């Protein structure tokens, strides 16, 4: 798929997601509002009270869904500022704690992370996307080692990491996910917008979003299976 | 805060019937006077005839969007506390215009939160 087609496809997805989120939020306003009014009129000991509370709970879950659709519908505009990447990773891990599960071991190791210029909110979103993608892949995610450091992308480096198009200095973020695999077929369409329900936080669009965020920073993203049970997710962000 | 400083009039302008109904029911219970409008032009007609103190204004309406209604209020120098209620936080084109509204709340909102916002504006209007 060429870049123009991919951009058009993401724009179409954005518009659709925004429209659906808007309409669902309207409907949810009615549902949640009337639920609140009904609950005000009910006795807490009434059995039906607990049923209405269940409706309220489901409506709150739906609101969380529409929040994700709104994230998906947003055009990615990047505003770079000096950022502490450690804080960004910590915030993303906090945000995604529920997706990772309590048994997944996480380690972080950042080298030379000072003075990086990036859009902290967008990079946090990209990290959340990687975590969501890893947690929905085949297998059981056992651990994630997150490491980062400055690299010099010379000709040899570009040969090894083909997604990088230009030589230069980058901050390379690597997310080594153990316990999961990606089939060769899935690798062919990895960054294409696709729909996936279930545990996926952004409906299967995680890697498409992640790549767009990296590209808007002037960087790159890639996924490289290391072996049958380990997948490395990469982001390279230019260092000025 | 005293909720009954004066019986404020609220106009709910929203094209979604369930939103109009729930807000009308809720604010009537809170002893406000409430009218509704399902379209932008109807909202402007009711602003003229009903003279609301508070306008709960949806942004996306079929004939005339909320931004145009807000612009009309500003151009006419009307003293109405406008609270924008929208299903999508990014559906406003003119951010400067947004600053002229009293507040901006994204759906689905908590009714008590909206009530507090309305109440604060009503108190300010009554002073």
């Amino acid at each position: 798929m060429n870049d123009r087609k991919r951009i058009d496809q993401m724009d179409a997805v954005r518009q659709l997601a925004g429209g659906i989120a808007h309409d669902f939020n309207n409907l949810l306003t009615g549902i949640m509002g009337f639920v609140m009014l009904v609950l005000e009129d009910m006795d807490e000991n009434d059995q039906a009270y607990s049923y209405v509370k269940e409706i309220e709970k489901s409506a709150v879950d739906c609101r969380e869904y529409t929040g994700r659709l709104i994230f998906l519908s947003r055009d990615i505009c990047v505003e770079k500022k000096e950022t502490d990447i450690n804080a960004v990773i910590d915030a993303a891990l906090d945000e995604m704690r529920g997706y990772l599960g309590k048994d997944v071991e996480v380690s972080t190791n950042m080298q030379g992370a000072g003075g990086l210029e990036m859009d902290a909110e967008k990079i946090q979103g990209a990290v959340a996307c990687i975590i969501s993608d890893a947690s929905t892949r085949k297998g059981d995610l056992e651990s994630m080692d997150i490491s980062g450091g400055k690299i010099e992308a010379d000709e040899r480096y570009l040969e090894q990491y083909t997604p990088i198009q230009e030589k230069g200095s980058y901050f390379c973020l690597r997310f080594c996910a153990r316990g999961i695999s990606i089939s060769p077929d899935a690798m062919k369409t990895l960054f294409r917008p696709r729909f996936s329900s279930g545990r996926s936080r952004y409906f299967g669009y995680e890697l498409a979003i992640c790549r767009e965020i990296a590209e808007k920073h002037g960087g790159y993203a890639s996924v490289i299976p290391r072996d049958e049970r380990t997948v490395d997710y990469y982001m390279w962000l230019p260092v000025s | 805060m005293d909720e009954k400083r004066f019986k404020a009039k609220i106009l709910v302008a929203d094209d979604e019937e369930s939103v109009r109904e729930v807000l009308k029911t809720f604010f009537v219970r809170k002893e406000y006077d409430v009218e509704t409008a399902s379209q932008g032009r109807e909202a402007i007609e009711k602003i003229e005839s009903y003279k609301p103190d508070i306008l709960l204004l949806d942004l996306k309406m079929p004939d005339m969007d909320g931004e145009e209604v807000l612009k009309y209020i500003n151009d006419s120098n009307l003293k109405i506390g406008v609270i924008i209620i929208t299903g999508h936080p990014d559906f406003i084109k003119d951010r400067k215009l947004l600053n002229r509204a009293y507040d901006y709340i994204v759906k689905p909102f908590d009714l008590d939160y909206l009530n507090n916002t309305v109440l604060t504006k009503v108190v300010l209007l009554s002073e």
Side-chain angles (χ1 to χ4, degrees):
Chain A
M1 191 188 294
N2 63 35
D3 281 355
R4 183 70 256 160
K5 202 172 167 187
R6 181 164 58 83
I7 290 164
D8 287 347
Q9 200 175 26
M10 280 304 279
D11 282 345
V13 167
R14 272 195 195 100
Q15 281 195 24
L16 183 65
I20 292 171
H22 172 267
D23 288 0
F24 262 79
N25 279 341
N26 265 329
L27 296 169
L28 281 172
T29 304
I31 294 168
M32 293 173 83
F34 279 118
V35 161
M36 184 187 154
L37 295 177
V38 169
L39 288 171
E40 274 182 3
D41 290 346
M42 286 180 88
D43 184 335
E44 282 186 35
N45 298 318
D46 190 334
Q47 196 183 12
Y49 186 90
S50 62
Y51 301 154
V52 181
K53 285 298 274 184
E54 286 301 315
I55 297 173
E56 187 183 46
K57 217 170 109 194
S58 297
V60 169
D61 288 346
C62 285
R63 182 171 60 183
E64 210 265 323
Y65 258 74
T66 58
R68 292 191 236 159
L69 282 170
I70 284 170
F71 177 85
L72 194 59
S73 75
R74 286 197 164 132
D75 197 10
I76 297 166
C77 300
V78 166
E79 283 178 46
K80 290 187 193 177
K81 279 185 199 154
E82 197 168 304
T83 301
D84 176 5
I85 186 71
N86 286 298
V88 172
I89 300 285
D90 286 347
L93 287 170
D94 271 353
E95 184 189 339
M96 299 300 289
R97 193 70 60 200
Y99 276 79
L100 276 168
K102 59 181 188 313
D103 296 330
V104 179
E105 285 179 33
V106 179
S107 69
T108 57
N109 179 20
M110 299 289 149
Q111 306 284 329
L116 292 173
E117 289 213 336
M118 60 182 73
D119 186 322
E121 191 191 333
K122 302 297 182 315
I123 296 297
Q124 184 182 327
V127 174
C129 282
I130 288 171
I131 293 169
S132 173
D133 188 85
S135 65
T136 53
R137 292 288 167 188
K138 197 176 164 192
D140 289 314
L141 184 63
E142 293 162 5
S143 68
M144 183 170 271
D145 300 325
I146 305 170
S147 56
K150 286 178 183 161
I151 59 104
E152 203 58 45
D154 54 16
E155 251 170 57
R156 269 183 67 183
Y157 195 90
L158 262 59
E159 277 171 26
Q160 192 181 350
Y161 297 101
T162 51
I164 305 180
Q165 304 288 314
E166 282 182 36
K167 292 179 198 169
S169 301
Y170 295 89
F171 190 82
C172 174
L173 273 169
R174 189 181 70 180
F175 302 78
C176 174
R178 290 197 171 80
I180 60 164
S181 64
I182 301 178
S183 70
D185 276 349
M187 282 299 295
K188 287 179 198 162
T189 56
L190 210 52
F191 287 96
R192 275 190 207 165
R194 66 191 171 96
F195 178 75
S196 162
S197 58
R199 268 177 56 78
S200 173
R201 192 173 201 221
Y202 296 117
F203 315 100
Y205 288 81
E206 281 85 343
L207 293 181
I209 296 169
C210 183
R211 179 159 88 170
E212 199 171 346
I213 291 171
E215 286 176 354
K216 288 274 169 82
H217 278 82
Y220 307 92
S222 183
V223 179
I224 304 172
R226 194 187 293 188
D227 56 45
E228 285 178 4
R229 292 186 65 254
T230 311
V231 177
D232 288 329
Y233 295 78
Y234 287 91
M235 277 183 81
W236 292 273
L237 303 168
V239 178
S240 53
Chain B
M1 270 187 281
D2 180 6
E3 288 198 34
K4 292 178 190 172
R5 287 188 176 209
F6 73 97
K7 192 167 185 177
K9 292 197 279 185
I10 298 175
L11 175 62
V12 179
D14 198 302
D15 61 335
E16 181 65 39
E17 191 184 355
S18 63
V19 175
R20 292 195 306 275
E21 282 307 308
V22 78
L23 292 179
K24 184 170 182 175
T25 310
F26 177 73
F27 283 109
V28 166
R29 280 188 183 193
K30 299 284 177 192
E31 300 188 357
Y32 288 98
D33 220 354
V34 184
E35 265 290 340
T36 61
S38 60
Q39 300 197 34
R41 284 201 181 83
E42 189 190 352
I44 286 178
E45 283 167 22
K46 290 203 171 163
I47 285 165
E48 294 293 345
S49 60
Y50 178 62
K51 302 196 186 316
D53 303 295
I54 302 286
L55 171 63
L56 302 180
L57 179 64
D58 186 21
L59 282 181
K60 253 186 167 298
M61 287 186 284
D63 63 336
M64 180 192 264
D65 65 32
E67 282 182 67
E68 287 176 84
V69 176
L70 187 55
K71 193 170 182 309
Y72 169 82
I73 291 168
N74 278 296
D75 292 349
S76 311
N77 275 323
L78 296 171
K79 298 270 180 286
I80 301 173
V82 179
I83 298 168
I84 290 172
I85 49 171
T86 178
H88 196 303
D90 301 343
F91 278 2
I92 186 150
K93 287 164 273 187
D94 186 350
R95 291 268 149 192
K96 281 182 194 160
L97 197 62
L98 183 67
N99 293 336
R100 294 185 201 162
Y102 173 66
D103 212 335
Y104 176 84
I105 298 175
V106 179
K107 297 174 192 169
F109 39 71
D110 180 69
L111 287 177
D112 285 331
Y113 178 80
L114 178 64
N115 184 42
N116 283 336
T117 308
V118 168
L119 191 55
T120 308
K121 185 61 188 171
V122 168
V123 169
L124 288 172
L125 287 170
S126 67
E127 281 171 356

